[in-house]
């Protein structure tokens, strides 16, 4: 499907960035009609830029300072949109400004929350309260923006769907990246710090950490069940916002025993790799409405 997209009209700069760095979000967005498709591409590109701003920023102080400066750039760009300022000449910031001052203006504050979530990621490890704030600011906000981009934010069930999808995605993210982040001295799993964090970096999960991971897995799967209860109200049009949750569900089920992939990066299951397999799975979920 990617080859088809590249053979057609040229991709915008945000879409090309998403195609290269987040194929899951790219393919999900392709199932949205225009202009919603490009809106989703811009939002995904914005998320990628925020992730790149904070990547590997937990080491020396200058790394964290540089990450904070990069985040400030994006905070200023969002603030300019909220306050009627001029857009920056940047391949992602400029179309983001147009979205936040146009079709996504009612939920534009969620873009600011996305930046704030990355600030929290620079302050790990997280306690339970900050973890819950991070879930809301990064993943629930992101799903509210996606539903608004699809023109569905006023539909019955939209608020509940964003909250449920955000919870599932956040819990899966914390589990999926737990070992890799621990190797950098960071953890998004609440309460994992000190010796437990050191052990997790080696793939050795303490009993307390295992219990937390099991709880996150259970809560994430419960959130997916709640999300599916909103299908009748939101319909097939909402699929592009939720298609990438296939990976979240896999990660949550794999961690039900308290081990994030057995302490190793989680392997893909048969049929879940490759662009073709992803496109077929997404097509089936979109056509049937069983996202």
């Amino acid at each position: 499907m990617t080859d088809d997209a590249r053979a057609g009209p040229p991709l915008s700069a945000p879409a090309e960035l998403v195609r290269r760095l987040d194929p899951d979000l790219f393919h999900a967005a392709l199932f949205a009609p225009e202009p919603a498709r490009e809106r989703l591409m811009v939002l995904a590109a914005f998320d990628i830029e925020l992730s790149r701003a904070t990547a590997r920023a937990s080491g020396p102080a200058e790394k964290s300072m540089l990450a904070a400066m990069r985040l400030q750039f994006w905070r200023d760009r969002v603030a300019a949109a909220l306050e009627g300022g001029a857009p920056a000449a940047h391949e992602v910031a400029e179309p983001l400004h147009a979205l936040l001052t146009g079709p996504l203006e009612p939920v534009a504050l969620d873009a600011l929350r996305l930046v704030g979530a990355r600030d929290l990621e620079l302050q790990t490890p997280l306690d339970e309260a900050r973890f819950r704030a991070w879930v809301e600011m990064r993943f629930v906000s992101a799903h509210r923006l996606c539903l608004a981009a699809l023109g569905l934010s006023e539909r019955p069930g939209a608020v509940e769907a964003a909250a449920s999808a955000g919870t599932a995605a956040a819990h899966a993210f914390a589990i999926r990246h737990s070992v890799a982040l621990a190797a950098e001295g960071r953890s998004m799993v609440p309460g994992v710090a000190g010796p437990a964090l050191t052990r997790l970096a080696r793939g050795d999960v303490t009993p307390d950490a295992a219990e937390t991971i099991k709880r996150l897995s259970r809560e994430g799967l419960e959130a997916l069940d709640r999300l599916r209860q909103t299908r009748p109200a939101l319909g097939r049009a909402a699929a592009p916002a939720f298609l990438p949750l296939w990976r979240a569900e896999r990660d949550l089920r794999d961690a039900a025993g308290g081990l994030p992939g057995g302490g190793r990066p989680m392997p893909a299951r048969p049929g879940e790799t490759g662009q073709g397999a992803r496109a077929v799975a997404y097509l089936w979920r979109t056509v049937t409405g069983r996202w």
Side-chain angles (χ1 to χ4, degrees):
M1 195 155 189
T2 301
D3 289 338
D4 291 342
R6 291 160 70 181
L11 295 174
S12 66
E16 178 59 28
L17 179 67
V18 180
R19 185 193 67 79
R20 288 190 294 108
L21 299 182
D22 200 325
D24 279 348
L25 292 182
F26 178 78
H27 281 84
L30 291 181
F31 286 94
E34 290 292 8
R37 178 183 304 172
E38 185 60 23
R39 294 172 188 166
L40 291 175
M41 294 294 188
V42 173
L43 290 173
F46 176 43
D47 187 73
I48 289 171
E49 290 286 6
L50 293 178
S51 294
R52 295 204 296 188
T54 57
R56 308 187 74 85
S58 60
E62 59 267 23
K63 287 186 178 181
S64 293
M65 185 178 297
L66 181 59
M69 292 171 61
R70 290 170 175 162
L71 286 179
Q72 188 60 46
F73 169 84
W74 288 104
R75 185 176 288 104
D76 291 344
R77 302 288 71 75
V78 175
L82 293 173
E83 298 166 6
H90 183 282
E91 62 182 17
V92 175
E94 194 165 6
L96 178 67
H97 186 283
L99 282 186
L100 298 181
T101 56
L104 301 192
E105 185 176 4
V107 292
L109 276 173
D110 278 320
L112 203 57
R113 295 186 182 101
L114 290 181
V115 183
R118 296 320 206 282
D119 282 325
L120 283 176
E121 292 175 16
L122 296 178
Q123 302 167 32
T124 62
L126 303 180
D127 59 19
E128 192 69 33
R130 288 197 297 160
F131 174 76
R132 297 300 169 191
W134 172 74
V135 171
E136 171 69 26
M137 293 168 69
R138 178 166 177 179
F139 290 92
V140 177
S141 291
H143 282 91
R144 280 197 295 259
L145 284 163
C146 287
L147 286 174
L150 292 166
L152 301 173
S153 57
E154 300 301 319
R155 287 270 188 96
V159 172
E160 295 81 0
S164 299
T167 297
H171 287 208
F173 181 97
I175 293 169
R176 182 188 316 132
H177 297 286
S178 58
V179 176
L181 287 175
E184 300 175 13
R186 296 194 286 166
S187 174
M188 305 312 298
V189 179
V192 175
L197 186 60
T198 302
R199 286 178 59 175
L200 184 59
R202 302 194 301 264
D204 181 12
V205 184
T206 65
D208 285 348
E211 284 303 313
T212 300
I213 289 170
K214 282 194 282 188
R215 175 172 61 83
L216 294 182
S217 169
R218 183 179 65 254
E219 292 174 354
L221 291 171
E222 290 170 353
L224 283 176
D225 287 340
R226 292 194 300 273
L227 172 65
R228 286 163 181 153
Q229 293 172 17
T230 68
R231 284 174 180 164
L234 291 174
R236 288 182 292 180
F242 305 122
L243 289 174
L245 289 174
W246 69 267
R247 184 177 184 183
E249 182 168 15
R250 183 200 73 181
D251 292 344
L252 291 167
R253 293 194 184 282
D254 285 350
L259 297 175
R264 299 176 298 278
M266 295 185 183
R269 291 174 176 169
E272 290 184 342
T273 59
Q275 298 172 358
R278 183 192 296 110
V280 170
Y282 281 8
L283 178 62
W284 182 83
R285 286 169 171 81
T286 302
V287 170
T288 62
R290 299 186 65 182
W291 32 265

